[in-house]
Amino acid sequence: MQGSISLSFSTPAISRSDPARFLVAGVGVTPEGVSFSRLQGQALRFCVRKFAGVGRSPHLVSSRKLCKKTLAAVTDNGSTGKGFDYDLVIIGAGVGGHGAALHAVEKGLKTAIIEGDVIGGTCVNRGCVPSKALLAVSGRMHELQSEDHLKSMGLQVLNHSYDRQGVADHANNLASKIRSNLTNSLKALGVDILTGVGTIVGTQKVKYGKVGTVDKEVTAKDILIATGSVPFVPNGIEVDGKTVFTSDQALKLEWVPEWIAIVGSGYIGLEFSDVYTALGSEVTFVEALDQLMPGFDPEIGKLAQRILINPRKIDFHTGVFAKKITPAREGKPVQIELIDAKTKEPKDMLEVDAALIATGRAPFTKGLGLESVNVTTQRGFVPVDERMQVIDTNGNPVPHLYCIGDANGKMMLAHAASAQGISVIETICGKVHVLNHLSIPAACFTHPEISMVGLTEPQAREKAEKEGFEVFVAKTSFKANTKALAENEGEGLAKLIYRPDNGEILGVHILGLHAADLIHEASNAIAMGTRIQDIKFAVHAHPTLSEVLDELFKAAKVTAGISRSVDEPVAV
Amino acid sequence: MAGALQLHLGSSFLPSSSHLKLRRRIFAATAPLRRHPTESKIREIFMPALSSTMTEGKIVSWVKSEGDKLSKGESVVVVESDKADMDVETFYDGYLAAIMVDEGGIATVGSAIALLAETEEEIPLAKSKASSSSSAHPEEASSPPVSPQESAIATEASPPRPGKADLTLASSAHPASDAGRRIVATPYAKKLARDLKVELQSVVGTGPMGRIVAKDVEAATDGAASVAITAPITSATKAVADSTPKVPVELGSVVPFTAMQGAVSRNMVESLAAPTFRVGYTITTNSLDELYKKIKSKGVTMTALLAKATAMALTKHPVINCSCRDGKSFTYNSSINIAVAVAIDGGLITPVLQEADKVDIYSLSRKWKELVDKARAKQLQPLEYNSGTFTLSNLGMFGVDRFDAILPPGTGAIMAVGAAQPTVVATKDGRIGVKNQMQVNVTADHRIIYGADLAAFLQTLAKIIEDPKDLTF
């Protein structure tokens, strides 16, 4: 699905205005024959994707047929049966809602998306996307700052500095670009964008509107909640947006404090520590649990601390809560009162220039009108079953109402929301689908990156104990990888947690150069149920970083034999 | 000579460095454990050889902290070799008494990185051993040698310690510290303080709201070093006025030693264990000065010339290159490694010119330059500052004409070099002339080196310097 999204990102302008070039793309539709109506534009795009998936020119004819079919299906959707305005109304146009909308259209559903803020949601506007822009800068800064590293490759950089506004603009421009791509792709697909705050007013009925306008009501066969989340700010912390702020404001990079406290050492906090240290700030972590990076596999967390924390201008307080944070005012710095997380005794007091609150995210589900369908949120999260169908107060599924993404809290990641959305569309189209969350990878874009999929070692061992199987761990170091050494980036570790009896991959954790890109071989294997004894025969180009995973698979000791191999041997 | 020497000193010997340096190397060289039978239950933990090609290892992290109880087989430390990071386990039960190489430090394979005490009672003993046997911290300057007269001065006059007292006063008043109850220091400042062994209580914060920032810590180490070195200068020259701290100390107060001052104190006391004596000699340097002028353009430095001359003299008097490790025997060192004291950014270190007798003067000069650069960048490897067998110390740049150095424990002799000065002398033909002369003064361990040995050595050295053609091969 992601593949298709990016495809449409890169081509929307071309496909709508430049038929000749579109032809070149190999679709085989003559320019004269195309009228660039919205619907056809969208049908064409399907062709592109399917075509790409199906094969090369010999299949041109069949792909044309496919086009026609799709076109027909889409045209049919112009009118929904049974008296509904839409087949599907999605509340929230973040990555989850967008992914669901794309898949819904592909499945021939007449779809509308309600957005009260900006298209793209948190990820695109205040999350993953702008932060990647900042991290792209910080990666280069860290490289430039590491003179030894450069010197050992024979490079000499005499001077380096950055322009804060330039960095901030880069992040902002990236967000706008992705936002307009997203908006265009929705429009191009013929998804109706309804502006306003969506509220459920009853079964299959949603109203939406902005302050000061009259609310409109629409009906839909199915409703999908994808309202996402907002930064969570614990009680006692006063956010002024200037010296005490959340990721929302930090991403605008309005200033670079000399000393910033980051409350919370999860993904968000860690990524920001990478950014801020690159830009010259000193960082103090405040973590409530006894260990930094509590969500990570302990071994990876330990190594991450050695690579990402200890050598940098970072210190930390663990096992403490920030009980009270007062923004800087009247010539006083930001003040942070720390108390022991267990005994609640006052522990310490920090005086810093700024504080970033990265204590996680809270679901954004207020005012959704869930009470009208007898649903109570749990700590704000919308309760759902394994198919993302919303569950009411009595524990029964609410018909025609689904919730995906941060709002249900199952796995608060943009791509998880998107995957859940696709799963829901499959289900409402009659093909019940249950998403395997253990196959969803996660990544933290520090330098080097951290990525993971499946269980951590302690989780795997616990499960093994319960279910009575054995767990083995294979590890490999980036120091053993030629490409990593060529880049002079040998720091890093990859570990594979697996069952030796049947070769099942339980989890993979990577810390090292481009770890976020490397994880997908493992996550795909988990999603497809590929076993180690099979995948170890797959070939990796040499020298590449992907050989880190190759090494892992080859290092695994599986007792089971090869379960399946290439269907037919191909002689060359 | 004087002119040339001074010139040279100005560039690579920072003033005020002089002897502080000598000490630290010395302590690294001591192997105290074996000397004291009572400490047999204190074991050294060595840097293990994790691979066949590994020559040194970096301490990635200490899994245990000082004072932790260890059981056999438990991992104590994570070591990074040229190939991988590995956990290192202990072979004995006991307590981790003292960590000698901190996280991030590098130690050669086989060198001690920590001490393991068998019982809890032995921890303090082991700790004191560890602190006197020093380790991989060239920059910490924790053991500056102070010669007897210097220390006398230091104790008599309280002003030489003022840096510290003053700082304490100042810090208690700075705004971020909540009237001295709290220390506000940035993460990097704290890290630096840990690495440089600076007590944050004694640092004045000059950052925003009076917080302690990295440069304050750096300034404090400079301060500490200058406090330590002012003593010798006081005894010698005009520099006194400038370097005597102007800040008033609170009269009548008792100011405790900082960690560094404590280490100095311990080492000074330990040096009393060696019965030393001194022999001086006046050497004419006109020929050496001329030679220097001639080959200066080829990158030759005066330090290298002096080291080379000393090394050549030592080849003829191996006993001066000896050390007395146990009070019962001579340890004849297989190579002649000349350690030379240098001040770096307020820190003190003794880069070692290894096998100075065998290396030609040009290579030796290049090596010296490299060592000084490395020392400035704090990148000296342990072997490059703790393998000296004979030490040179020079205060000539202050106009000091003669002084006397304390023998670094673990070595046999140290030579204090004064300034070369034009002197009126009676020449052999009965006339009066002016020659450049410098005085050298060697302190040696009389258990192994006797007066006649030193005298003979000095005579050889004088011959080499006065007729220096052999220095260039």
Side-chain angles (χ1 to χ4, degrees):
Chain A
M1 191 63 205
Q2 293 295 354
S4 73
I5 294 172
S6 62
L7 190 65
S8 51
F9 283 169
S10 55
T11 54
I14 296 165
S15 62
R16 289 173 69 82
S17 65
D18 188 350
R21 278 172 70 184
F22 201 57
L23 182 69
V24 174
V27 177
V29 180
T30 52
E32 306 91 275
V34 180
S35 80
F36 286 91
S37 74
R38 194 162 69 180
L39 286 179
Q40 275 174 340
Q42 135 199 356
L44 285 170
R45 193 157 297 101
F46 295 153
C47 293
V48 174
R49 180 171 55 247
K50 296 223 162 124
F51 183 72
V54 169
R56 302 279 172 256
S57 41
H59 299 288
L60 202 61
V61 180
S62 63
S63 83
R64 261 193 201 149
K65 275 185 201 152
L66 211 58
C67 273
K68 277 186 194 143
K69 247 193 234 163
T70 316
L71 190 60
V74 174
T75 315
D76 282 350
N77 287 324
S79 57
T80 42
K82 298 165 197 162
F84 290 110
D85 295 331
Y86 293 98
D87 291 321
L88 175 70
V89 166
I90 302 166
I91 307 176
V95 168
H98 178 264
L102 257 59
H103 197 64
V105 173
E106 186 183 338
K107 287 286 169 188
L109 303 181
K110 189 186 180 200
T111 308
I113 196 160
I114 301 176
E115 179 53 59
D117 186 20
V118 281
I119 302 288
T122 297
C123 172
V124 172
N125 298 291
R126 298 174 300 272
C128 348
V129 170
S131 68
K132 293 305 101 43
L134 297 184
L135 283 156
V137 172
S138 75
R140 283 165 173 78
M141 284 301 285
H142 280 301
E143 248 173 70
L144 290 171
Q145 283 160 4
S146 166
E147 276 175 44
D148 291 354
H149 181 239
L150 292 173
K151 217 172 149 188
S152 62
M153 296 203 287
L155 285 178
Q156 210 174 5
V157 176
L158 296 177
N159 217 340
H160 59 84
S161 60
Y162 68 91
D163 160 34
R164 183 202 53 78
Q165 192 56 51
V167 178
D169 289 349
H170 174 48
N172 193 31
N173 293 342
L174 179 69
S176 325
K177 183 182 262 173
I178 305 293
R179 182 166 60 236
S180 71
N181 282 346
L182 231 59
T183 312
N184 287 342
S185 72
L186 286 173
K187 283 183 182 157
L189 287 174
V191 174
D192 284 347
I193 299 173
L194 313 174
T195 309
V197 176
T199 308
I200 294 158
V201 286
T203 310
Q204 297 174 305
K205 208 180 282 176
V206 183
K207 71 171 182 187
Y208 68 96
K210 281 193 260 194
V211 181
T213 63
V214 183
D215 286 355
K216 289 181 192 151
E217 221 172 81
V218 287
T219 56
K221 189 173 150 288
D222 290 288
I223 296 169
L224 179 59
I225 299 167
T227 46
S229 62
V230 291
F232 169 66
V233 179
N235 285 334
I237 297 179
E238 188 185 333
V239 170
D240 71 347
K242 297 267 184 298
T243 58
V244 179
F245 45 78
T246 65
S247 54
D248 286 2
Q249 292 94 23
L251 288 164
K252 293 184 186 145
L253 200 72
E254 280 168 352
W255 65 303
V256 178
E258 279 177 37
W259 184 6
I260 183 166
I262 298 181
V263 184
S265 66
Y267 297 71
I268 301 174
L270 204 59
E271 289 190 354
F272 272 105
S273 78
D274 196 277
V275 170
Y276 278 115
T277 51
L279 300 183
S281 303
E282 295 182 34
V283 171
T284 295
F285 271 118
V286 175
E287 171 59 55
L289 295 171
D290 289 333
Q291 227 186 335
L292 287 179
M293 299 167 269
F296 297 175
D297 180 88
E299 197 170 359
I300 294 287
K302 223 170 101 183
L303 185 64
Q305 184 168 332
R306 270 158 45 188
I307 297 175
L308 299 170
I309 308 279
N310 296 350
R312 298 187 180 169
K313 295 176 180 178
I314 302 177
D315 70 348
F316 51 84
H317 299 262
T318 50
V320 291
F321 281 131
K323 180 169 173 265
K324 190 168 174 229
I325 301 185
T326 323
R329 57 168 82 99
E330 291 155 13
K332 282 191 179 161
V334 174
Q335 296 184 311
I336 304 178
E337 280 181 47
L338 299 180
I339 57 165
D340 191 293
K342 289 184 195 102
T343 64
K344 311 289 177 216
E345 297 284 313
K347 204 60 192 280
D348 210 339
M349 174 90 172
L350 299 179
E351 290 172 358
V352 293
D353 298 323
L356 167 65
I357 312 305
T359 41
R361 300 186 60 89
F364 181 60
T365 53
K366 264 194 189 142
L368 258 180
L370 288 168
E371 55 288 345
S372 68
V373 283
N374 193 27
V375 171
T376 320
T377 57
Q378 289 158 9
R379 292 180 300 122
F381 292 110
V382 178
V384 293
D385 65 11
E386 58 179 14
R387 288 172 296 171
M388 310 300 141
Q389 190 163 0
V390 176
I391 295 169
D392 71 11
T393 320
N394 306 322
N396 300 318
V398 180
H400 308 297
L401 186 61
Y402 299 82
C403 176
I404 58 166
D406 289 4
N408 73 31
K410 272 186 180 287
M411 198 177 208
M412 296 174 85
L413 295 167
H415 48 276
S418 189
Q420 289 171 355
I422 290 163
S423 171
V424 166
I425 303 303
E426 287 289 311
T427 301
I428 61 182
C429 288
K431 193 178 161 211
V432 174
H433 185 273
V434 175
L435 179 65
N436 176 9
H437 282 82
L438 286 176
S439 74
I440 298 180
C444 185
F445 295 83
T446 44
H447 298 91
E449 296 173 340
I450 306 171
S451 63
M452 66 212 73
V453 63
L455 305 176
T456 63
E457 192 178 334
Q459 284 169 344
R461 297 217 180 271
E462 193 186 321
K463 184 175 177 192
E465 183 115 340
K466 237 181 261 166
E467 297 176 15
F469 59 84
E470 219 180 346
V471 168
F472 276 18
V473 174
K475 281 184 241 177
T476 180
S477 163
F478 276 65
K479 279 186 183 132
N481 181 277
T482 311
K483 188 72 186 323
L485 290 178
E487 301 280 344
N488 219 345
E489 302 273 3
E491 278 186 312
L493 170 79
K495 72 188 269 191
L496 165 70
I497 301 154
Y498 64 101
R499 283 180 68 154
D501 56 345
N502 62 10
E504 184 188 350
I505 300 172
L506 300 171
V508 173
H509 302 264
I510 311 174
L511 166 57
L513 187 63
H514 294 304
D517 294 311
L518 293 178
I519 196 70
H520 298 96
E521 186 169 6
S523 63
N524 286 352
I526 293 177
M528 305 295 152
T530 312
R531 298 297 162 98
I532 296 167
Q533 60 270 34
D534 301 321
I535 203 171
K536 75 200 291 183
F537 286 100
V539 181
H540 297 70
H542 176 76
T544 57
L545 291 171
S546 69
E547 288 171 293
V548 167
L549 279 137
D550 191 28
E551 282 251 334
L552 267 191
F553 297 138
K554 293 200 161 103
K557 293 180 175 54
V558 180
T559 46
I562 301 167
S563 50
R564 68 190 107 108
S565 65
V566 182
D567 292 336
E568 255 177 70
V570 185
V572 181
Chain B
M1 171 66 192
L5 183 59
Q6 227 130 9
L7 188 70
H8 155 66
L9 291 172
S11 58
S12 73
F13 269 33
L14 301 184
S16 77
S17 62
S18 315
H19 339 194
L20 289 190
K21 252 31 154 6
L22 314 186
R23 252 355 129 80
R24 58 180 321 67
R25 168 182 86 64
I26 300 142
F27 295 118
T30 45
L33 297 191
R34 260 151 257 134
R35 278 213 301 244
H36 306 270
T38 49
E39 287 148 25
S40 58
K41 282 176 190 160
I42 298 171
R43 293 190 166 92
E44 288 177 338
I45 298 176
F46 295 107
M47 171 63 70
L50 300 177
S51 70
S52 53
T53 52
M54 176 173 167
T55 54
E56 58 182 28
K58 182 174 166 192
I59 307 289
V60 174
S61 66
W62 283 98
V63 181
K64 302 284 178 179
S65 339
E66 288 188 0
D68 283 1
K69 192 173 187 331
L70 307 175
S71 334
K72 191 176 164 183
E74 236 178 329
S75 65
V76 183
V77 60
V78 182
V79 167
E80 181 187 273
S81 74
D82 50 344
K83 298 229 163 55
D85 294 354
M86 294 177 99
D87 285 11
V88 176
E89 300 167 358
T90 167
F91 296 115
Y92 301 98
D93 293 342
Y95 292 85
L96 183 60
I99 288 173
M100 296 161 72
V101 180
D102 284 335
E103 288 183 6
I106 290 172
T108 48
V109 168
S111 67
I113 54 174
L115 295 180
L116 184 73
E118 196 164 293
T119 64
E120 233 168 327
E121 294 73 52
E122 288 165 341
I123 294 176
L125 188 64
K127 269 196 171 145
S128 67
K129 279 297 120 196
S131 61
S132 63
S133 67
S134 159
S135 52
H137 291 278
E139 71 285 4
E140 89 198 43
S142 63
S143 38
V146 179
S147 55
Q149 80 245 33
E150 297 156 8
S151 42
I153 287 160
T155 41
E156 264 167 43
S158 36
R161 299 252 168 247
K164 154 93 168 133
D166 154 51
L167 301 177
T168 313
L169 292 178
S171 70
S172 59
H174 81 73
S177 73
D178 197 7
R181 283 196 289 279
R182 239 147 32 73
I183 296 167
V184 179
T186 69
Y188 187 46
K190 283 185 200 157
K191 220 164 250 193
L192 268 183
R194 211 163 38 237
D195 292 349
L196 301 174
K197 303 265 188 312
V198 169
E199 302 230 1
L200 284 171
Q201 284 97 330
S202 64
V203 177
V204 193
T206 64
M209 328 272 172
R211 73 169 70 121
I212 299 168
V213 294
K215 70 176 166 58
D216 299 331
V217 175
E218 281 161 2
T221 56
D222 292 350
S226 72
V227 166
I229 359 194
T230 43
I233 297 163
T234 331
S235 65
T237 68
K238 47 154 181 138
V240 186
D242 314 358
S243 52
T244 304
K246 295 158 190 100
V247 207
V249 68
E250 202 179 313
L251 294 176
S253 63
V254 174
V255 181
F257 283 164
T258 60
M260 190 198 82
Q261 290 160 343
V264 173
S265 168
R266 274 194 303 279
N267 293 331
M268 288 305 93
V269 172
E270 188 176 333
S271 76
L272 295 176
T276 55
F277 74 113
R278 292 145 193 92
V279 176
Y281 210 98
T282 300
I283 303 175
T284 302
T285 61
N286 290 58
S287 308
L288 185 70
D289 293 347
E290 263 165 47
L291 174 70
Y292 176 59
K293 240 178 257 167
K294 236 191 290 169
I295 56 177
K296 199 167 90 176
S297 59
K298 293 178 187 162
V300 172
T301 63
M302 185 55 85
T303 299
L305 281 172
L306 285 173
K308 179 79 191 166
T310 308
M312 285 172 69
L314 286 171
T315 55
K316 295 183 183 145
H317 304 273
V319 73
I320 313 293
N321 199 41
C322 254
S323 56
C324 181
R325 302 262 162 92
D326 54 5
K328 292 179 204 152
S329 62
F330 294 79
T331 301
Y332 286 95
N333 291 303
S334 52
S335 40
I336 295 173
N337 299 336
I338 307 290
V340 187
V342 172
I344 303 295
D345 288 345
L348 295 162
I349 196 158
T350 54
V352 175
L353 287 164
Q354 303 212 17
E355 311 210 308
D357 56 322
K358 297 195 180 116
V359 181
D360 70 80
I361 186 68
Y362 305 103
S363 309
L364 203 62
S365 298
R366 275 196 299 279
K367 182 75 194 167
W368 178 246
K369 187 175 178 306
E370 183 196 321
L371 285 171
V372 169
D373 286 348
K374 269 185 162 179
R376 291 224 168 93
K378 305 201 160 125
Q379 282 169 347
L380 282 181
Q381 303 300 305
L383 260 181
E384 292 172 327
Y385 60 81
N386 66 12
S387 57
T389 56
F390 183 95
T391 312
L392 274 184
S393 174
N394 195 321
L395 280 180
M397 62 288 217
F398 295 107
V400 170
D401 61 347
R402 87 204 86 133
F403 70 106
D404 151 38
I406 285 193
L407 178 67
T411 58
I414 174 170
M415 183 162 79
V417 181
Q421 291 171 321
T423 314
V424 178
V425 296
T427 57
K428 273 177 198 156
D429 52 7
R431 297 173 188 235
I432 293 172
V434 174
K435 298 224 157 162
N436 286 342
Q437 293 197 318
M438 74 171 178
Q439 296 192 39
V440 298
N441 188 14
V442 180
T443 304
D445 184 341
H446 208 301
R447 289 172 298 178
I448 46 175
I449 299 166
Y450 302 168
D453 297 331
L454 262 194
F457 163 74
L458 284 167
Q459 197 176 23
T460 306
L461 179 67
K463 265 188 200 149
I464 291 169
I465 289 178
E466 286 169 7
D467 182 13
K469 60 179 186 319
D470 289 345
L471 289 182
T472 51
F473 283 19

